[in-house]
Amino acid sequence: AGISQHGPVADFFARISQAQIQMNTDVEYLRRYRRTADGIYYEMVFSGVSNVDLTEGGLVQGQDSHPGRVVGTLGMSLRRYEETPDFSTRDGSELDRTYFFTGADGTFGGNATRAGARGLSSNPVLKWGSIRSGMDPILVKISPQIRKTQEEFPEYDVIGAVTKGIESWNKVFGFPVFKVTVGKDSDSWAADNTNMVIWDEFGELDYAYADARINPINGEIRGANIYAGATWIYYADAIFDFLPADPALAAKTHKALPSSSKSRGLSGFRWGDLEPLFLCQKHLSPRTKSALLGAVQLKKAALKKAYASFSRKMAVEQYLANVIAHEAGHVLGLRHNFKGSLYAESETSSIMDYYDDVLSAVKPEPAAYDRDAVRFLYGLSAQPPKQAFCTDEDISTDPNCRQFDFGVDPFKSYILPNYQAFVDSYISAGDPANLLYLETWMVWGLDFLQGGSAAQQKIAWESLIAKVKAKTLATGEPAPKKELSTVAQLLTERSFLVPDPSAEFAANFVAKPRIDPSVAFTIAQDLAGLAANLDGIRTMEARRVAIDALKKMQMDAGLQAMSKLKVDLLARKASLSGAEAISEGDLIARVDKYLSPYFD
């Protein structure tokens, strides 16, 4: 017992924290201390209390009432330093695109100097040294806890799906690279020379991830693990409940998904100055989780077409195989390709994308980009992949570089139809749940306004405002429903005033809107129409928000629209009396304030 060197902390905070989080260890003991041919390994089980509240943000959860309580197992392996004969280090600095993980991803710390001293690249591409034609396949063991999940879901071949996901890469290489088996209780993921799929039988977390053990000098991958678990089966079973089940098992009910299962930071370790590094943390699509029922209902036609020949068993198994194949791609050295889904519906060029969950089972194996990229990485082809590509750092500069989308034009074929359908549902029924769903798709669509080209900005704004914009009513035309005002106000706020924290471009855009002049006039006129209450159903709050947005534009189009708006409001006030006239006067005062001066 005492102060331990290791500090359990989400990997994001471990990367940025300057001071180590301390943990007072209550209990700590070794188990499975074993010798190997070139070293030793052991597992250290510990229980302790941290000096910070680790439940904040869902970093750590448990049954203990103390907010800093942590229980876990640390695997440690010490091996003789070796290099695979004839291993050839590849310089990542020579690549035009960041298709692969390299030393620049933060893997090597202070070892760049040692690499340079040996004439090696300080930015080596990460890859296995053993992969070549005629090799002995890399043995991957699935932890035996998967048998518990198999017992819970006998209608699905859970073990077979995990095996298929990993071994599907053999076809890409043209020779056996992986061989998968279920491990024994005595197998330990702490053994550095053991590659494992660590299976969480309890379904506590909603992510899968991969990590690798790497030679810090030359970039050779010496071993790897994949973490996944029962959560994926629970969700897949729910997502694909519209497909026919095996009649013999159709009446079976499963225990509920654990209430603690939630999207949260990936718990990891920091030991002294060593920080955790994960190749990937793949979550269930947040859009699927927030709008699952509605999205599935809206996409019935597309789903029935995509899954016309599928049983529920096939869909669930291929869904899981997709997740595992994605993580196995990281284990081989491939980074994400978030443009893999920019193809016709149900098509993709890459398993390294994050697919829309309800369509992911259609393509459970590596595709054209993956084949070309991995063969280029391992010297089986001299040509780099030619398919469209973007990865994690490109998300902040390209609205078409997105997770969980699909289609040649994701905005038109995927985002907008879902948004418009939920707008229609909300307007017709006023259900607050539909307002939540439509906001999810609205925020995604606003990426194209807040981070797109002039053409993308124009299409995004005109499409998102179309069903809820204010317009002068024709004689005898019935007034629209008041729900239009709510949606238009939300759109105005999310566009210019209150950024959604999950949106990629929103914060910078809201801080200083960058609207192409060719689009600004249309936006300003629409905002002025909302503020002027052209159709008579806009709330005072919604009108104030529209005026605030005009001010926030800081463009000539905004100034001109606000100046005309003042004239229109004065004319409108002249026809009002009592409380309505007072409210209108308050809006005029707001406009006067923003016009004196308009530009900050």
Side-chain angles (χ1 to χ4, degrees):
I3 299 296
S4 177
Q5 285 288 317
H6 57 76
V9 60
D11 68 319
F12 174 76
F13 292 100
R15 288 171 183 271
I16 65 174
S17 59
Q18 298 301 313
Q20 179 175 337
I21 297 175
Q22 297 290 332
M23 187 183 76
N24 188 27
T25 306
D26 299 332
V27 177
E28 187 170 279
Y29 65 90
L30 299 184
R31 69 176 185 181
R32 291 179 175 167
Y33 187 96
R34 300 285 189 273
R35 289 183 179 274
T36 63
D38 59 355
I40 58 104
Y41 69 87
Y42 60 85
E43 295 176 7
M44 184 173 71
V45 180
F46 63 87
S47 174
V49 176
S50 173
N51 61 344
V52 298
D53 181 355
L54 295 177
T55 62
E56 182 68 25
L59 302 186
V60 176
Q61 289 191 338
Q63 303 301 315
D64 193 290
S65 59
H66 194 289
R69 169 65 65 186
V70 181
V71 178
T73 304
L74 173 68
M76 177 62 71
S77 186
L78 301 174
R79 298 177 66 187
R80 182 183 304 113
Y81 181 86
E82 291 181 347
E83 297 181 7
T84 297
D86 300 324
F87 179 82
S88 174
T89 299
R90 186 167 196 166
D91 189 352
S93 304
E94 296 176 353
L95 298 176
D96 293 333
R97 307 298 301 275
T98 52
Y99 306 115
F100 316 119
F101 291 106
T102 70
D105 299 314
T107 309
F108 301 117
N111 287 292
T113 301
R114 295 180 204 147
R118 295 182 51 190
L120 300 175
S121 169
S122 60
N123 184 31
V125 173
L126 309 191
K127 62 176 183 174
W128 294 76
S130 58
I131 293 181
R132 61 195 69 184
S133 181
M135 63 178 282
D136 291 331
I138 299 166
L139 181 62
V140 180
K141 296 181 178 181
I142 310 172
S143 61
Q145 287 78 10
I146 197 171
R147 299 191 189 280
K148 296 288 187 181
T149 305
Q150 185 65 80
E151 292 172 4
E152 170 67 11
F153 292 91
E155 64 268 48
Y156 306 129
D157 184 1
V158 179
I159 295 172
V162 173
T163 301
K164 178 181 178 181
I166 296 173
E167 292 186 351
S168 63
W169 286 93
N170 294 343
K171 183 178 179 181
V172 171
F173 281 94
F175 53 86
V177 170
F178 291 121
K179 179 177 177 55
V180 181
T181 184
V182 177
K184 302 176 181 178
D185 290 336
S186 59
D187 288 324
S188 173
W189 46 266
D192 188 59
N193 57 352
T194 299
N195 309 292
M196 292 196 75
V197 176
I198 303 172
W199 187 263
D200 171 19
E201 65 186 279
F202 301 107
E204 290 290 325
L205 301 176
D206 72 344
Y207 55 68
Y209 70 82
D211 58 17
R213 300 178 291 279
I214 303 157
N215 182 324
I217 304 298
N218 64 4
E220 180 182 359
I221 299 174
R222 303 191 66 193
N225 290 332
I226 294 172
Y227 176 95
T231 301
W232 297 95
I233 299 296
Y234 283 113
Y235 276 119
D237 188 58
I239 290 170
F240 298 109
D241 64 355
F242 63 91
L243 292 172
D246 184 334
L249 296 168
K252 178 174 175 57
T253 58
H254 302 290
K255 61 186 179 183
L257 184 68
S259 59
S260 61
S261 180
K262 58 183 290 187
S263 180
R264 59 190 183 189
L266 177 59
S267 299
F269 280 96
R270 176 190 188 110
W271 190 300
D273 293 331
L274 299 178
E275 300 178 355
L277 175 69
F278 300 98
L279 305 182
C280 170
Q281 183 182 355
K282 178 177 172 60
H283 280 274
L284 184 83
S285 164
R287 294 183 177 88
T288 295
K289 291 175 66 177
S290 65
L292 173 61
L293 296 178
V296 169
Q297 292 299 320
L298 291 173
K299 295 167 65 177
K300 281 290 187 183
L303 290 170
K304 286 181 178 179
K305 178 181 178 182
Y307 293 110
S309 61
F310 278 54
S311 66
R312 191 184 307 178
K313 171 180 168 63
M314 184 186 302
V316 170
E317 290 171 2
Q318 293 196 175
Y319 176 89
L320 178 59
N322 175 293
V323 173
I324 300 300
H326 176 97
E327 298 306 330
H330 287 310
V331 164
L332 287 166
L334 298 188
R335 296 192 64 189
H336 291 129
N337 180 6
F338 292 133
K339 287 193 173 180
S341 56
L342 297 184
Y343 289 83
E345 187 172 294
S346 305
E347 295 296 328
T348 178
S349 70
S350 180
I351 197 76
M352 303 313 297
D353 202 343
Y354 285 0
Y355 302 158
D356 171 78
D357 281 307
V358 292
L359 287 174
S360 60
V362 178
K363 298 292 181 181
E365 299 178 343
Y369 165 82
D370 311 308
R371 180 194 64 240
D372 293 349
V374 82
R375 292 180 66 83
F376 178 60
L377 172 60
Y378 285 94
L380 301 174
S381 170
Q383 298 299 318
K386 293 182 171 55
Q387 296 82 3
F389 172 82
C390 73
T391 194
D392 299 75
E393 57 265 27
D394 301 313
I395 290 176
S396 62
T397 59
D398 184 353
N400 273 320
C401 186
R402 282 293 170 269
Q403 306 168 358
F404 305 111
D405 62 355
F406 71 87
V408 177
D409 185 339
F411 180 82
K412 287 185 177 180
S413 64
Y414 183 45
I415 300 169
L416 186 59
N418 279 285
Y419 167 75
Q420 290 177 332
F422 282 120
V423 169
D424 290 341
S425 297
Y426 176 69
I427 292 172
S428 64
D431 184 353
N434 284 324
L435 184 63
L436 173 64
Y437 297 154
L438 74 84
E439 182 180 6
T440 299
W441 297 100
M442 173 194 291
V443 168
W444 200 359
L446 283 174
D447 280 350
F448 293 85
L449 172 70
Q450 297 168 333
S453 64
Q456 289 173 325
Q457 285 187 336
K458 176 179 174 62
I459 292 172
W461 176 260
E462 292 181 351
S463 301
L464 294 172
I465 194 72
K467 287 180 176 287
V468 297
K469 68 189 299 182
K471 61 180 181 178
T472 303
L473 302 178
T475 303
E477 183 178 355
K481 300 185 71 171
K482 59 181 176 58
E483 283 78 11
L484 268 72
S485 179
T486 303
V487 177
Q489 178 183 334
L490 182 62
L491 176 61
T492 306
E493 289 174 336
R494 287 289 182 249
S495 298
F496 296 100
L497 304 173
V498 185
D500 184 281
S502 67
E504 193 63 41
F505 301 99
N508 289 336
F509 183 87
V510 168
K512 186 176 181 181
R514 292 174 175 81
I515 305 169
D516 190 273
S518 65
V519 187
F521 178 79
T522 298
I523 295 176
Q525 293 303 304
D526 287 337
L527 293 174
L530 296 174
N533 195 17
L534 295 180
D535 50 16
I537 58 102
R538 310 295 160 165
T539 66
M540 291 301 296
E541 181 182 5
R543 298 174 70 187
R544 287 192 292 268
V545 166
I547 293 170
D548 292 348
L550 280 171
K551 170 70 171 178
K552 194 64 177 286
M553 285 181 65
Q554 292 290 287
M555 299 184 72
D556 288 338
L559 172 60
Q560 294 166 15
M562 190 174 287
S563 300
K564 183 177 184 304
L565 174 63
K566 178 180 177 180
V567 175
D568 294 340
L569 292 178
L570 286 168
R572 176 184 170 86
K573 182 185 176 186
S575 65
L576 301 175
S577 61
E580 289 183 331
I582 293 174
S583 295
E584 208 73 11
D586 183 69
L587 289 178
I588 294 170
R590 195 180 197 90
V591 172
D592 278 336
K593 174 185 174 182
Y594 286 161
L595 287 174
S596 303
Y598 172 79
F599 289 104
D600 296 334

